[in-house]
Amino acid sequence: MTAARGTPSPPDVATVSLDAREVVKRYGRHGFGNRRSIAAVDHVSVSLQPGKTIAIVGESGSGKSTLTRLLLNLEGVDAGEISFNGVSLQRMSSEQRRAYRQSVQLVFQHPQQSFNPMLTIGGSILDALRLRDDLSRREKQQVCGELFELVGLDPAMGERRRREVSGGELQRAALARALASQPKLIVLDEPTSALDASIRGQIVELLLQFQARSDLGYLVVTHDMRLVQLMAGHVMVMYLGQIVEEGPTEEILRRPRHPYTRSLIEAASLEGERVRAVVRGEVTTLAEDYQGCRFFDRCPFARKKCLQPQELAVTDDDRHVRCWRWRDVESVARETEVI
Amino acid sequence: MTLDPQQLAGVVRVGRPVAEPPIGSWSESATWRWLRWVFNAPAAVLLILTLAAIFAPLITRYDPVTPDFAQKLLPPSGTHWFGTDSLGMDVYTRVVYATRIDLSVAAASVLLGIVLGSPIGALAAYTGGWFDAMMGRVTEMVQSFPAILIAMLVLAAAGNNLITLTILLGVLNAPVYLKMVRSVALPLRNVEYILAARCSGHSGLSLLWKHILPNTLVPVFSQFSISCAFAIQLIAGLSFIGLGVRVPQPEWGSMINEGANYIVFGQWWPSVFPGIAVFATAFALTSLGNRVRRAALHE
Amino acid sequence: MTVRERVSERAGVAPGLRIRNLWVDIGKGAGAVHAVRGVDIAVQQGARVGVVGESGSGKTMTALAVLRVLPSTARVLEGEVTLGEADLFSLSNREMASVRGRQISIVFQNAKSALNPVFPVGEQISTVYRRHLGGSRSAARARAVEILEAMGIPEPARTAHLFPHELSGGMAQRVMIAMALVCEPAILLADEPTTGLDVTIQAQVLDVIATSLKRRSTSLLLISHDIGVVRGMCEELVVMYAGEVVESGALENILSNPHHPYTAGLIEAFMATDKPHYIPGHVPTLRRTFIGCSFADRCPLANETCRTIRPELRQLADARLVACHRAEQVGRP
């Protein structure tokens, strides 16, 4: 089934996978002794496969954006390993690296920032086609036009520069660029947050169509629970670098088991309910050597036991929670009818 | 492997944009208006000066370097538009010929500074670490000495000629561009479109060349004019004290120097006209640089 | 008679804000953007009105016009804004300056950049207080700490000495709200006050606003692109599109039974959980002049009348105003 270890898989074989195992990333001064704060990404594992959509949910400081950079090898990990088709990103040959770059793409949050102001939109997409060296220059132009059509953009858009194009159209162009290399896996960092609500659905619909047609795998990083509900089968909730809960979307939304998950769902005003605050305080910076639950100071369920290290425990076959009081959380959620 | 049109047919309607003028686009005339505004009066002045420098022999009648003591210190008149100086040479002719030296030395030295400083700045921003730190110290060293002082020392030691002067001014300009390119390139490292380029397989040299350096062009260009303005003033200042351009080469600064003695006697024209030339050139260059910078900001 | 007196004393009832037929352009000539095109909004004293709209709807420009703090390139072409009996557009600059922060306050989106970075936040609050209400510095400082505490800021005395960049986003936003409410204005304008904050913090900030307003029955004009934000806070709703008001009335009624196709589409897009809903096309540029309804090219119900005649805001049952020729076909009767 899988290709032999160390050789790159051609992109249209369905065994493409991107795996992160116990990945750790710290920020702070290296080489000057003490690293002062806790890791930005702390022992996170996630696995992307074609055809599946995983959502990572979290707010600022959760480490979700850092994780996307690590997965795309834009920064190196401090511990743990990320491997593409079984080969660690640190140890790839240039050919493997090429296959990796072709198969895994990233769509950014701010469409304006993701395009070079000096290039035309078409020029940017052509630049993204540099990974397709099987194409001649003229073929690349043609593919560019096809991509435009695929995302519903007027081909004349190719001549414009980013300042002349609206946010919604730019995000489509960003999708076109991500699709240019014919990837199998796409990481999306807040793909609709910068867009007007009435057109977010356009991008989501496009994404779902592409996934259906080309069996793409998505990792959607977002804080928007509605987007999660529309796109993802599986959710991971992150807080201050750790995964605090994960499981199937339906389950998590109906019966959250971690207090932070619950507060996110409440605040997300699903069904247009009024936004309710169920948690106090804000994200704090914690000392590096603190081992206990990171949500402790804001948690309405906190007890002294929470100051001890909390494991990501298995509760059901496919659900994990990092909270020893998960049963209480779940029952409270049921009482207040969080749907 | 191109996309199959059959597959495209399966794409459900996705809300085509309504056909109307795109947001923020400029019509033809607006682009022209913009260009005219940016490159207006100061550019016209510089254009005139450049043409004057190139076509100097065609627009002047006298020899710029041969003295004619019979004609010394004649006031401006129909035959000598700017009068003559203490050696009897036509001031107008010398001012025009001086344009050649001033503009070319200034432009060449600033270009040299850009060519030296920009790549190092980009590299320093990209690699960081000890290289960046070392370049920081080097630029600090170069910039901590007053330019005139260094110029005097170097010209005295290495020879008082135009080549040395140009190279010297180039080296003095390099730190400005090093720092500028570095400061533009540094935040670019994490900006999304650079990351996107890396996701498309760019790295190292191709990233610098295709994506980072072009974005440094605009600030560099606007700084270019301003650096030229400073260079001209520096050249004029140096020849005022006898360094750089040597007699009897016409150069605005040395002309001001020679003529300075005669102002007291009411013979203002040998100094004032080259002075106006320096002023006008520096002003035009600075204005142009500012306009380019403002135009870039509005984007 | 001072402005304050005019506003608060002559009016028999406490002052309400009334915006009538407001037209604002940005820029001049061919490239002018018609940002606000005939907007009518009324906020009774004590009422809480939400304004919902997307980019280009003109909602921010409307708020800025009320306070007369439009950018220098913007011009008010027509219209009237009254607070109680006072016509705000007829006031001198000085009089208007005494109204801002005292009678009408505004809170913006990005608190950290709306606050002055070189002054501690406590000082910024006390400066506003002293400017309008006088008093000694120590009294003003005490009042600043008092209001910081009312905003739910832990350790208010210590926080008062911090600079804006030392605060988190949520804290900075509370400081801005404190500054706005320290002189107990008649009405608070809030322009996307929680956008950009974490969702859990958004909820907290909205709670703070709600509690503070209730205490003094201050009116609220809350501008947002997020229906969820507006829903918990306001009883009335104004929906804006392309610089105009397209629907207004009681919030819950509109949400359960919208009568404008744009409102219906927007609500559907917000609530979608099974499959993505959206309005096709995109928000039009406002550099153009519209013939007929500005929403016609995206509207599933548009007919010839819609494309040729601009719909006026008209009244339906229960105090609902809609600008749509086909309002009766939208929603349930």
Side-chain angles (χ1 to χ4, degrees):
Chain A
M1 183 197 50
T2 48
R5 195 180 177 80
T7 58
S9 316
D12 45 14
V13 174
T15 55
V16 167
S17 75
L18 184 64
D19 302 288
R21 262 187 299 274
E22 297 292 302
V23 164
V24 179
K25 177 73 180 174
R26 286 181 222 281
Y27 287 116
R29 326 257 304 148
H30 295 263
F32 277 98
N34 42 348
R35 294 170 180 146
R36 261 172 267 127
S37 63
I38 51 171
V41 174
D42 199 346
H43 294 91
V44 170
S45 301
V46 67
S47 180
L48 282 82
Q49 264 117 38
K52 295 192 169 33
T53 304
I54 301 178
I56 298 190
V57 178
E59 298 176 304
S60 57
S62 59
K64 58 191 204 292
S65 289
T66 310
L67 186 61
T68 61
R69 290 184 215 262
L70 295 173
L71 287 171
L72 270 286
N73 204 20
L74 296 170
E75 287 178 43
V77 300
D78 290 327
E81 191 180 66
I82 302 182
S83 41
F84 174 68
N85 291 346
V87 183
S88 162
L89 294 187
Q90 326 276 52
R91 288 192 291 270
M92 279 186 172
S93 69
S94 59
E95 212 185 294
Q96 289 168 334
R97 195 175 300 279
R98 209 191 164 75
Y100 161 71
R101 283 278 172 233
Q102 188 171 4
S103 306
V104 183
Q105 284 294 324
L106 177 54
V107 174
F108 299 89
Q109 177 178 359
H110 296 112
Q112 269 78 20
Q113 299 290 84
S114 63
F115 281 91
N116 190 332
M118 309 242 87
L119 300 176
T120 58
I121 305 294
S124 296
I125 308 236
L126 277 175
D127 191 44
L129 284 169
R130 70 196 296 274
L131 286 166
R132 304 271 309 270
D133 51 3
D134 53 309
L135 299 176
S136 74
R137 187 175 174 78
R138 195 151 29 98
E139 284 173 325
K140 282 185 186 171
Q141 294 276 5
Q142 199 178 352
V143 169
C144 195
E146 287 166 2
L147 284 169
F148 268 79
E149 216 181 308
L150 198 59
V151 299
L153 281 178
D154 186 2
M157 195 80 57
E159 297 303 308
R160 300 203 201 125
R161 293 178 200 266
R162 79 171 190 198
R163 62 173 179 268
E164 299 163 5
V165 180
S166 75
E169 294 165 328
L170 271 180
Q171 199 66 323
R172 288 174 193 259
L175 265 187
R177 178 179 54 194
L179 293 170
S181 66
Q182 296 188 309
K184 290 304 279 180
L185 303 170
I186 304 187
V187 176
L188 303 122
D189 190 355
E190 304 274 11
T192 56
S193 300
L195 303 177
D196 283 326
S198 66
I199 57 170
R200 282 180 192 172
Q202 295 176 7
I203 300 294
V204 177
E205 189 177 74
L206 274 177
L207 287 170
L208 293 174
Q209 282 166 2
F210 296 140
Q211 181 171 48
R213 180 159 10 117
S214 314
D215 202 32
L216 296 174
Y218 291 142
L219 179 70
V220 183
V221 168
T222 184
H223 65 271
D224 184 353
M225 282 302 195
R226 253 181 240 110
L227 185 65
V228 172
Q229 214 170 356
L230 287 173
M231 287 191 68
H234 197 87
V235 177
M236 281 169 40
V237 182
M238 283 183 71
Y239 185 78
L240 278 181
Q242 288 180 326
I243 302 176
V244 296
E245 184 162 6
E246 68 173 313
T249 310
E250 269 310 298
E251 290 288 310
I252 300 242
L253 288 178
R254 249 182 337 113
R255 302 181 297 140
R257 286 175 180 169
H258 193 280
Y260 179 61
T261 314
R262 183 169 155 260
S263 70
L264 275 183
I265 295 171
E266 292 283 321
S269 66
L270 291 170
E271 311 270 317
E273 285 300 315
R274 89 150 268 206
V275 177
R276 276 180 286 173
V278 295
V279 72
R280 61 178 179 276
E282 310 192 336
V283 170
T284 44
T285 40
L286 298 170
E288 191 209 352
D289 50 1
Y290 175 68
Q291 300 285 355
C293 175
R294 297 178 182 186
F295 194 56
F296 175 71
D297 56 337
R298 305 175 65 189
C299 183
F301 293 85
R303 293 279 188 275
K304 258 206 291 235
K305 186 172 170 188
C306 300
L307 289 172
Q308 291 164 19
Q310 305 290 321
E311 290 300 314
L312 191 63
V314 184
T315 53
D316 289 342
D317 271 344
D318 45 7
R319 289 192 67 171
H320 299 69
V321 192
R322 197 186 294 265
C323 181
W324 62 276
R325 295 199 64 191
W326 64 268
R327 289 184 184 81
D328 300 326
V329 181
E330 189 178 2
S331 58
V332 168
R334 228 178 303 137
E335 275 162 27
T336 56
E337 289 178 11
V338 172
I339 293 281
Chain B
M1 184 169 56
T2 58
L3 298 166
D4 182 6
Q6 286 297 87
Q7 293 176 308
L8 292 181
V11 174
V12 177
R13 61 151 186 134
V14 283
R16 296 197 157 264
V18 179
E20 63 192 6
I23 296 158
S25 87
W26 297 331
S27 62
E28 276 295 293
S29 63
T31 313
W32 271 119
R33 271 205 315 258
W34 179 86
L35 280 172
R36 280 204 315 267
W37 175 77
V38 169
F39 292 108
N40 209 342
V45 168
L46 286 172
L47 189 62
I48 293 173
L49 286 169
T50 315
L51 290 175
I54 298 173
F55 296 112
L58 300 178
I59 55 172
T60 57
R61 268 183 293 160
Y62 299 90
D63 185 335
V65 295
T66 310
D68 182 359
F69 294 98
Q71 308 283 343
K72 60 185 260 183
L73 290 172
L74 296 175
S77 65
T79 45
H80 293 280
W81 294 342
F82 288 176
T84 60
D85 63 9
S86 55
L87 297 182
M89 297 187 275
D90 178 40
V91 175
Y92 168 73
T93 307
R94 281 175 62 83
V95 166
V96 171
Y97 271 86
T99 311
R100 290 184 165 183
I101 294 185
D102 276 295
L103 280 188
S104 53
V105 172
S109 59
V110 175
L111 274 172
L112 181 61
I114 293 177
V115 165
L116 275 180
S118 305
I120 299 182
L123 200 58
Y126 191 71
T127 51
W130 65 269
F131 181 72
D132 189 16
M134 194 173 79
M135 286 299 114
R137 304 292 84 76
V138 167
T139 55
E140 278 164 21
M141 264 176 17
V142 172
Q143 288 190 308
S144 57
F145 289 98
I148 290 259
L149 203 59
I150 299 191
M152 284 166 55
L153 291 172
V154 170
L155 287 172
N160 193 12
N161 55 52
L162 283 182
I163 304 285
T164 317
L165 180 66
T166 309
I167 296 178
L168 167 71
L169 289 180
V171 170
L172 286 178
N173 267 304
V176 173
Y177 291 96
L178 197 160
K179 294 213 294 204
M180 170 179 285
V181 169
R182 177 181 175 276
S183 73
V184 170
L186 259 183
L188 282 185
R189 286 186 66 184
N190 284 317
V191 96
E192 276 94 327
Y193 60 85
I194 297 291
L195 297 179
R198 288 174 64 192
C199 290
S200 299
H202 279 289
S203 69
L205 221 55
S206 75
L207 193 66
L208 273 175
W209 184 251
K210 180 128 205 243
H211 287 279
I212 297 189
L213 274 181
N215 278 287
T216 64
L217 279 182
V218 169
V220 162
F221 181 65
S222 67
Q223 183 65 30
F224 172 78
S225 337
I226 297 177
S227 291
C228 281
F230 276 112
I232 288 185
Q233 292 167 69
L234 197 56
I235 296 168
L238 282 171
S239 58
F240 191 77
I241 56 175
L243 291 172
V245 182
R246 281 184 288 191
V247 184
Q249 285 279 28
E251 198 277 316
W252 292 329
S254 54
M255 289 167 71
I256 300 177
N257 181 22
E258 288 154 20
N261 303 320
Y262 299 94
I263 294 187
V264 197
F265 300 112
Q267 284 142 343
W268 51 272
W269 51 92
S271 274
V272 167
F273 286 111
I276 293 177
V278 173
F279 173 75
T281 313
F283 190 71
L285 283 168
T286 315
S287 293
L288 183 62
N290 280 333
R291 285 192 181 213
V292 172
R293 183 181 295 143
R294 284 214 311 268
L297 276 179
H298 286 320
E299 290 186 351
Chain C
M1 186 172 282
T2 68
V3 173
R4 198 179 312 153
E5 290 160 355
R6 225 184 303 165
V7 165
S8 49
E9 289 177 12
R10 271 176 62 189
V13 186
L17 181 74
R18 189 93 169 79
I19 303 169
R20 277 188 195 82
N21 194 30
L22 184 64
W23 288 78
V24 177
D25 264 11
I26 304 179
K28 282 204 288 262
V33 175
H34 311 296
V36 182
R37 307 184 301 121
V39 164
D40 277 303
I41 297 178
V43 183
Q44 316 282 3
Q45 179 60 23
R48 291 177 303 182
V49 175
V51 177
V52 158
E54 299 176 303
S55 53
S57 58
K59 51 195 202 298
T60 300
M61 283 295 146
T62 306
L64 297 182
V66 166
L67 279 176
R68 287 171 51 181
V69 289
L70 289 166
S72 52
T73 47
R75 287 148 50 237
V76 174
L77 301 176
E78 217 186 300
E80 190 185 52
V81 176
T82 49
L83 184 66
E85 296 272 316
D87 174 5
L88 294 182
F89 285 169
S90 68
L91 299 180
S92 72
N93 282 338
R94 206 153 190 212
E95 290 168 330
M96 192 64 210
S98 72
V99 168
R100 290 186 206 110
R102 175 71 183 90
Q103 311 286 346
I104 311 179
S105 286
I106 189 165
V107 171
F108 295 104
Q109 176 176 337
N110 196 340
K112 283 210 212 180
S113 44
L115 294 169
N116 193 327
V118 300
F119 290 106
V121 297
E123 197 173 315
Q124 295 190 44
I125 299 176
S126 51
T127 306
V128 172
Y129 183 78
R130 281 189 78 201
R131 198 184 172 284
H132 289 289
L133 300 174
S136 67
R137 287 170 80 139
S138 49
R141 253 182 268 140
R143 175 88 183 106
V145 172
E146 197 185 303
I147 196 165
L148 282 177
E149 190 173 21
M151 293 291 133
I153 291 180
E155 297 181 55
R158 196 184 76 87
T159 310
H161 292 294
L162 296 178
F163 290 88
H165 67 265
E166 295 178 292
L167 302 174
S168 69
M171 288 293 183
Q173 201 68 10
R174 290 177 211 233
V175 166
M176 201 158 63
I177 297 167
M179 263 173 75
L181 295 178
V182 70
C183 297
E184 295 176 354
I187 178 167
L188 174 70
L189 308 183
D191 186 5
E192 307 270 13
T194 56
T195 306
L197 299 176
D198 283 338
V199 284
T200 46
I201 311 296
Q202 280 191 27
Q204 292 174 11
V205 171
L206 290 175
D207 268 351
V208 161
I209 295 180
T211 340
S212 316
L213 296 183
K214 207 185 313 197
R215 207 172 293 148
R216 283 265 158 200
S217 58
T218 312
S219 326
L220 172 68
L221 186 67
L222 176 60
I223 298 168
S224 180
H225 66 275
D226 186 340
I227 291 183
V229 162
V230 164
R231 185 170 196 175
M233 301 282 294
C234 305
E235 305 103 21
E236 291 171 50
L237 181 64
V238 173
V239 181
M240 285 183 71
Y241 182 79
E244 321 173 85
V245 172
V246 296
E247 186 159 9
S248 75
L251 186 141
E252 285 301 331
N253 290 353
I254 294 184
L255 289 187
S256 55
N257 189 15
H259 278 290
H260 192 284
Y262 172 66
T263 317
L266 197 60
I267 295 171
E268 208 177 25
F270 258 103
M271 309 295 202
T273 50
D274 51 340
K275 51 189 275 285
H277 286 273
Y278 55 87
I279 302 177
H282 63 101
V283 176
T285 166
L286 294 173
R287 276 176 216 273
R288 49 174 290 192
T289 40
F290 293 92
I291 301 173
C293 177
S294 55
F295 188 61
D297 49 19
R298 299 174 75 187
C299 181
L301 294 179
N303 59 24
E304 264 318 291
T305 323
C306 300
R307 278 183 258 273
T308 45
I309 303 177
R310 183 189 169 179
E312 294 295 324
L313 207 57
R314 59 192 172 95
Q315 178 132 13
L316 299 183
D318 346 294
R320 179 84 65 92
L321 296 171
V322 189
C324 180
H325 294 301
R326 313 207 56 197
E328 284 78 8
Q329 276 88 35
V330 184
R332 309 182 294 280

